[in-house]
Structures are given as structure tokens and as C-alpha cells.
Amino acid sequence: MTAEKLQSIAFKWFDAFNTHNLEQLLSLYDDDAQHFSPKLKILKPETNGLVIGKQAMREWWQDAFHRLPSLNYKVTSLTANGDRVFMEYTRSVEGEDNMHIAEVLVVKEDKIIASRVYHG
């Protein structure tokens, strides 16, 4: 997959998050995709940080959009090659300190099959 195509998927991902468009966000993912996040591990310890499938991701992100109506991501860097795009962004939520985050999207046949979030 070309770097341009991977970056296009990443920009659609950011647009979906920043507009809180859950259907648009989920449309970028494969039905059996996996998502790992340290926030998941904290807020839903039974997941051990991992959710699998669109329904589990729907529940997670729907809850996040509800809890954090001001949630916004600002891209600081995108690096795309092979089958993945490495994204760096600043997470902002009203009333919280900004958080710098790195995330990797693994893409196969134009769909995200895995996403992994890293932050400290």
C-alpha cells in the first residue's frame, strides 16, 4: 500500500474522531480488528487493554465520546510505509492536561486490522 493511501486513511481517522462520528470511524476498521489502549486497561481492566471486533470498539468509543464531549486530536506527525501508519498527536480534553500520544494503525486491503495506542 502506498504511503499516500495510508496517510489518507489516517486523516479520515482523525476527522472521524474529531467530529465524534462513530460510524465513519468504525467504517475504517475490519470487522475483526483489534484495538489496544492503556486507557482501556485502566477504565475497563477486564479487557487487559484489548478489544476485538467492531462491536467492542463501538462500545468503547461511544463511551469515550459521551464521557469526553470536548475530546480532540491534533496531528503532530504521520509516518507511513508498508502496511502501517505511525501517528503522533496531542489529545486535548477540556479540564485535563494535554497528552502526547503515539498510535500505530496496521492496514490490510484498505481496512485497519489493528490499532495500538502508546502514551505515558
Side-chain angles (χ1 to χ4, degrees), residues 55-120:
Q55 184 57 39
M57 287 186 280
R58 175 185 300 282
E59 292 168 11
W60 171 241
W61 288 321
Q62 197 166 40
D63 177 64
F65 293 157
H66 177 74
R67 281 184 298 106
L68 307 167
S70 65
L71 177 65
N72 186 272
Y73 295 154
K74 181 179 179 189
V75 181
T76 56
S77 177
L78 288 177
T79 304
N81 61 43
D83 65 349
R84 63 197 62 215
V85 57
F86 180 78
M87 310 182 307
E88 293 177 274
Y89 55 92
T90 302
R91 173 191 180 271
S92 62
V93 172
E94 192 173 303
E96 295 182 14
D97 290 339
N98 285 348
M99 181 181 293
H100 300 287
I101 298 179
E103 184 159 353
V104 176
L105 304 177
V106 181
V107 179
K108 182 177 181 181
E109 298 176 8
D110 295 336
K111 294 288 185 181
I112 300 166
I113 61 168
S115 50
R116 293 184 301 274
V117 179
Y118 303 93
H119 54 76

Side-chain angles (χ1 to χ4, degrees), residues 3-31:
E4 293 79 17
K5 178 65 177 174
L6 289 166
Q7 287 178 339
S8 171
I9 291 169
F11 284 121
K12 288 176 185 175
W13 185 93
F14 280 107
D15 181 60
F17 256 104
N18 288 333
T19 60
H20 296 194
N21 187 330
L22 186 57
E23 296 310 316
Q24 180 184 344
L25 179 62
L26 290 170
S27 75
L28 299 171
Y29 282 81
D30 182 79
D31 289 342

